[in-house]
Amino acid sequence: MTKWNWVALAATAIFLAACGGSGDNGEPAIKPFTPNEPFDPDPYPSTYKAYPSAPVLITNATILDGEGAKIEEGSLLLQDGKVSAIGADLEAPEGVTVIDASGRWVTPGIIDNHSHLGAYPSPSVSAHQDGNEISGPVTAEVWVEHGIWPQDPGFDRALAGGVTSLQILPGSANLFGGRGITLKNVPARTVQGMKFPAAPYTLKMACGENPKRVYGYGSGTIPGGAPFSRMGNMAGYRAAWIKAAEYKRKWDKYSAEGGEMPARDLELDTLAGVLAGEILVHMHCYRADEMAQIMDLSNEFGYKVTAFHHAVESYKIADKLADYGACSSMWADWWGFKMEAYDGIPENIPMVHNAGACAIVHSDSDIGIQRLNQEAAKAWADGKRVGIDVPIEEAWEWLSLNPAKSLGIDARTGSLKPGKMGDVVIWSGNPFSVYTKADQVFIDGALMYDRADDSVRPVRDFELGQPGEGDMK
């Protein structure tokens, strides 16, 4: 745990330390803080535990490994919750369950890096609207995990669409909307029980029309609040980063030299964590010219934007995005609903891919997340029509490996490389067909969804006894 993690995660620990207390052996239950570790590094830790699993060998399938390979008549072995082996000819170990997937396809589980499930859950009523702290244009101090309701039935519908992990983000009203979180898509009593272990935190930012509409025009007066224009947006980012840099300097000095501990500031904890490279920036941004300005802004203050979201104009600057190293999270054919979203084209995703940049298909929708394979298929087909013939085994990276990269979890999931998590989908056919459905979904090697067996389809407690309980149609 590096120093900015402990700085950024400490409010609860401070309270506990102030209360004192002792363990059973008479030693302090909370160790005294020191200049090198003055805070609890993880006050809201993941309690995720993989569901029980048994060894499974999937045979005779068409396998997309998520790293650009396609294996016909292939086999995949899951053991101890991990991908154990993949290939054309695997022997079944003794005692393993064999699934004959003849005529079916196998892929890594889908990862949606833009969802609001749990923060804007179903049923969509005002009492459930916990996804955006719009009380100010800079609310980097809020954490979306504190607003996620794990009983949202949307998680189970997403699972039926093959989604095994997802990022939950705060909304996009603010310049700085707060921290995002990555979850494993499993039933749990608490959000900590879904929290992807050791996944880095993320920061939601937004550019363009939303912040000036909410805080400028939204006041109902002329002049309204700030920001009122895109100029105000940029000034707001820069002012916040200047404060964060100064805050980080104070803490770095304290860490190196000791002395009087600086005052904590939850907003600046998060921003300083970004400057330290420990929190990943995910930024809502539609227009190419604004993305280019934001890349310059990040260079001014020494951080990186990990992914631009809703990036309908990425095709205009795909080369710049490739050089910079930012992913683009995009829809296949959703644009035109406001001015900054006007200039989308259906070939956006394949054009970004073709330029060597990181292309991602995302949902931002409790409905769209259920059919992300079809979204990718539409973009793939639109590319073929203009001569960008991306092999399907490469296009699948838009749904698993690339979003995993954007969340800092690609060393552990996102493809079927041996040693990675057993996050796997068996599809009824080619997953880029509109007729295909997820037959079985494994998370960490455990069968979490089976289309043919309603005893293996999770139903959240909230849904029990409700009309349509567990309905996956």
Side-chain angles (χ1 to χ4, degrees):
M1 184 64 67
T2 55
K3 63 188 174 197
W4 275 105
N5 274 335
W6 52 250
V7 168
L9 299 171
T12 297
I14 285 178
F15 172 76
L16 291 172
C19 292
S22 61
D24 293 340
N25 59 3
E27 296 296 321
I30 304 297
K31 67 181 181 180
F33 296 137
T34 68
N36 290 327
E37 193 178 23
F39 304 117
D40 183 339
D42 194 8
Y44 307 99
S46 169
T47 59
Y48 171 77
K49 293 190 184 304
Y51 277 73
S53 63
V56 174
L57 180 66
I58 304 166
T59 63
N60 301 314
T62 299
I63 300 177
L64 307 180
D65 76 346
E67 296 190 3
K70 180 180 177 183
I71 306 169
E72 300 288 358
E73 299 294 319
S75 298
L76 180 72
L77 178 62
L78 304 179
Q79 277 186 314
D80 300 323
K82 308 284 188 186
V83 174
S84 178
I86 181 172
D89 250 334
L90 298 183
E91 293 291 328
E94 187 175 352
V96 72
T97 299
V98 177
I99 299 176
D100 182 358
S102 298
R104 298 190 287 171
W105 290 49
V106 171
T107 70
I110 292 173
I111 299 171
D112 186 0
N113 82 340
H114 193 124
S115 175
H116 300 294
L117 289 180
Y120 289 120
S122 300
S124 180
V125 296
S126 60
H128 275 168
Q129 303 304 296
D130 291 313
N132 211 151
E133 180 59 44
I134 62 170
S135 54
V138 181
T139 61
E141 70 273 19
V142 304
W143 301 17
V144 75
E145 68 188 89
H146 298 148
I148 292 174
W149 188 46
Q151 293 295 318
D152 184 355
F155 289 117
D156 302 328
R157 273 62 177 179
L159 180 67
V163 174
T164 53
S165 296
L166 64 168
Q167 176 179 220
I168 310 301
L169 286 166
S172 55
N174 331 62
L175 300 175
F176 297 86
R179 291 198 193 197
I181 186 176
T182 301
L183 302 179
K184 302 284 283 192
N185 193 14
V186 299
R189 293 177 298 172
T190 66
V191 70
Q192 289 100 326
M194 303 173 71
K195 204 167 176 178
F196 197 111
Y201 276 107
T202 60
L203 170 65
K204 176 70 177 295
M205 294 179 63
C207 60
E209 295 176 15
N210 281 15
K212 65 177 190 163
R213 171 175 52 80
V214 173
Y215 302 103
Y217 314 158
S219 71
T221 60
I222 299 293
F228 196 82
S229 67
R230 285 184 165 86
M231 295 183 293
N233 286 353
M234 288 294 286
Y237 307 134
R238 298 179 79 200
W241 289 125
I242 288 169
K243 287 171 59 180
E246 175 60 23
Y247 183 75
K248 182 173 179 296
R249 276 194 294 272
K250 288 180 181 177
W251 277 98
D252 287 345
K253 184 173 186 295
Y254 172 70
S255 180
E257 302 174 7
E260 184 176 355
M261 191 170 71
R264 296 282 314 289
D265 184 308
L266 292 176
E267 173 191 310
L268 297 178
D269 279 354
T270 295
L271 300 187
V274 172
L275 297 180
E278 296 175 356
I279 296 176
L280 309 178
V281 173
H282 286 249
M283 188 147 194
H284 157 124
C285 216
Y286 292 83
R287 280 184 7 192
D289 60 312
E290 286 194 284
M291 287 187 261
Q293 287 192 332
I294 293 300
M295 287 189 278
D296 284 346
L297 172 77
S298 72
N299 290 331
E300 180 183 4
F301 290 99
Y303 69 94
K304 293 283 289 187
V305 177
T306 302
F308 289 106
H309 290 237
H310 316 334
V312 300
E313 292 189 8
S314 277
Y315 67 95
K316 296 181 179 179
I317 55 165
D319 58 333
K320 292 181 179 294
L321 292 164
D323 290 344
Y324 176 91
C327 293
S328 296
S329 299
M330 299 165 280
W331 297 296
D333 53 5
W334 190 12
W335 67 79
F337 44 85
K338 56 181 173 178
M339 198 66 224
E340 65 182 353
Y342 185 77
D343 207 10
I345 60 172
E347 300 84 5
N348 190 24
I349 294 171
M351 286 180 69
V352 170
H353 175 96
N354 206 38
C358 168
I360 293 171
V361 178
H362 72 343
S363 77
D364 189 25
S365 163
D366 60 339
I367 304 299
I369 195 173
Q370 301 173 26
R371 300 173 182 83
L372 278 171
N373 58 312
Q374 294 180 13
E375 292 299 303
K378 287 188 287 185
W380 174 75
D382 286 324
K384 287 174 75 74
R385 270 193 287 273
V386 297
I388 304 175
D389 193 4
V390 182
I392 190 171
E393 52 269 34
E394 287 185 23
W396 193 265
E397 295 175 14
W398 306 341
L399 293 166
S400 58
L401 187 59
N402 287 353
K405 289 177 180 175
S406 79
L407 301 174
I409 56 175
D410 54 300
R412 302 163 66 194
T413 189
S415 71
L416 301 182
K417 189 175 180 179
K420 286 191 173 184
M421 294 170 166
D423 299 340
V424 177
V425 183
I426 302 176
W427 301 91
S428 60
N430 183 334
F432 278 11
S433 164
V434 294
Y435 299 106
T436 293
K437 294 184 177 181
D439 276 348
Q440 292 169 308
V441 181
F442 297 83
I443 297 179
D444 285 310
L447 181 60
M448 301 303 299
Y449 172 82
D450 190 333
R451 188 162 68 99
D453 184 353
D454 58 12
S455 70
V456 193
R457 294 183 215 154
V459 179
R460 306 278 153 160
D461 290 352
F462 174 78
E463 257 197 292
L464 295 175
Q466 305 279 356
E469 171 189 308
D471 190 350
M472 295 292 179
K473 290 193 291 295

